């Protein structure tokens, strides 16, 4: 784990990210808050590409909690059987759909506590929904962000909550809204786990990672 990168260097890192991609977007396909919530819940231990393939035929027929309940767990299972942990995820999606109808009038709530009260929805999923749909500067820390945060010192921490707090505490406020998207995309395509593409990295000269690759 690298020491915390200094504030001015962090500002320059995100200035460069913003210059290249001013409006970074998540890669999970969705049409409303409910389909975003479901897509993120399905994405645990699965690639976004895999989720998008599974939901391509699902969301046109089940884009609300009511429609998802009408579809039922068995039919939902068939739609998502190509992704990891699909049986448990199908149970959770049906259960969270039921609670949305019963407790929230079929609407996806805009608070972290309410979101985390839903089956299969943890802090990361809640933060994605808060950020992408409700516009909150919530930071969804996944494996990419955890790796980059500690590899570069941008937001080091021993667990995901510590990394989330480091983002909130150390990244300039004007970059907070898109911070986790820039970091996720950088980790997914450039600062990869086993073979980081350091030669293609726009922050190579700012990064203290000692094992830089040519």
């Amino acid at each position: 784990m690298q020491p915390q990168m200094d504030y001015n260097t962090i500002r320059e890192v995100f200035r460069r990210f913003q210059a290249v991609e001013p409006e970074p977007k998540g890669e999970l396909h969705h049409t409303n808050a409910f389909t975003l919530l479901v897509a993120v819940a399905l994405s645990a231990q699965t690639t976004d590409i895999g989720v998008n393939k599974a939901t391509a035929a699902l969301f046109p027929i089940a884009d609300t909690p009511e429609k998802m309940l009408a579809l039922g767990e068995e039919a939902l299972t068939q739609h998502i059987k190509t992704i990891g942990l699909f049986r448990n995820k199908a149970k959770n999606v049906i259960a969270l759909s039921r609670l949305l109808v019963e407790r929230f009038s079929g609407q996806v709530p805009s608070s972290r506590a309410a979101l985390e009260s839903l089956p299969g929805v943890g802090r990361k999923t809640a933060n994605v929904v808060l950020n992408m749909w409700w516009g909150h500067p919530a930071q969804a820390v996944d494996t990419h962000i955890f790796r980059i945060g500690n590899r570069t010192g941008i937001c080091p921490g021993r667990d995901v909550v510590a990394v989330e707090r480091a983002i909130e505490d150390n990244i300039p406020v004007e970059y907070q809204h898109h911070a986790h998207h820039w970091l996720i995309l950088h980790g997914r395509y450039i600062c990869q786990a086993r073979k980081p593409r350091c030669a293609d990295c726009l922050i190579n000269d700012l990064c203290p990672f000692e094992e830089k690759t040519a």
Side-chain angles (χ1 to χ4, degrees):
M1 182 169 66
Q2 297 286 351
Q4 176 69 52
M5 184 181 284
D6 71 85
Y7 180 81
N8 288 331
T9 304
I10 291 175
R11 177 179 288 280
E12 175 60 17
V13 166
F14 285 92
R15 186 198 67 78
R16 295 183 190 183
F17 283 156
Q18 185 181 60
V20 172
E21 186 62 67
E23 294 288 333
K25 304 294 183 183
E27 297 181 324
L28 287 171
H29 297 167
H30 61 282
T31 58
N32 56 27
F34 176 70
T35 54
L36 174 61
L37 174 63
V38 171
V40 180
L42 293 178
S43 71
Q45 301 181 44
T46 304
T47 65
D48 288 0
I49 292 174
V51 173
N52 290 338
K53 288 180 179 178
T55 58
L58 172 64
F59 287 160
I61 61 172
D63 62 352
T64 68
E66 294 83 359
K67 291 178 182 178
M68 191 66 74
L69 289 173
L71 180 66
E73 184 176 327
E74 184 176 344
L76 172 58
T77 300
Q78 292 304 308
H79 276 281
I80 66 171
K81 64 183 180 181
T82 56
I83 67 175
L85 306 174
F86 66 93
R87 294 190 187 280
N88 191 55
K89 289 177 180 179
K91 291 180 181 178
N92 283 335
V93 169
I94 293 299
L96 73 82
S97 297
R98 183 172 294 109
L99 285 184
L100 286 174
V101 171
E102 294 175 352
R103 296 183 184 176
F104 302 102
S105 301
Q107 302 300 308
V108 175
S110 59
S111 82
R112 182 184 287 116
L115 286 166
E116 289 190 50
S117 73
L118 301 171
V121 178
R123 189 178 184 88
K124 187 186 83 170
T125 296
N127 281 350
V128 172
V129 174
L130 290 172
N131 181 285
M132 291 181 62
W133 193 260
W134 298 111
H136 297 182
Q139 308 301 331
V141 178
D142 69 351
T143 55
H144 296 302
I145 295 180
F146 187 81
R147 177 177 68 255
I148 293 173
N150 285 291
R151 180 180 280 175
T152 65
I154 292 172
C155 45
R158 297 192 179 279
D159 55 46
V160 294
V161 174
V163 171
E164 180 183 327
R165 289 174 179 165
I167 295 174
E168 294 171 346
D169 291 344
N170 299 300
I171 293 175
V173 66
E174 64 265 34
Y175 300 120
Q176 286 277 332
H177 180 63
H178 292 309
H180 89 275
H181 277 133
W182 282 315
L183 292 171
I184 287 171
L185 294 173
H186 191 64
R188 185 172 291 167
Y189 298 111
I190 301 296
C191 195
Q192 298 166 337
R194 295 189 178 181
K195 294 183 179 180
R197 296 169 53 198
C198 296
D200 301 319
C201 177
L202 79 166
I203 62 169
N204 185 301
D205 59 312
L206 305 176
C207 175
F209 182 52
E210 294 179 356
E211 300 174 28
K212 289 181 181 178
T213 58

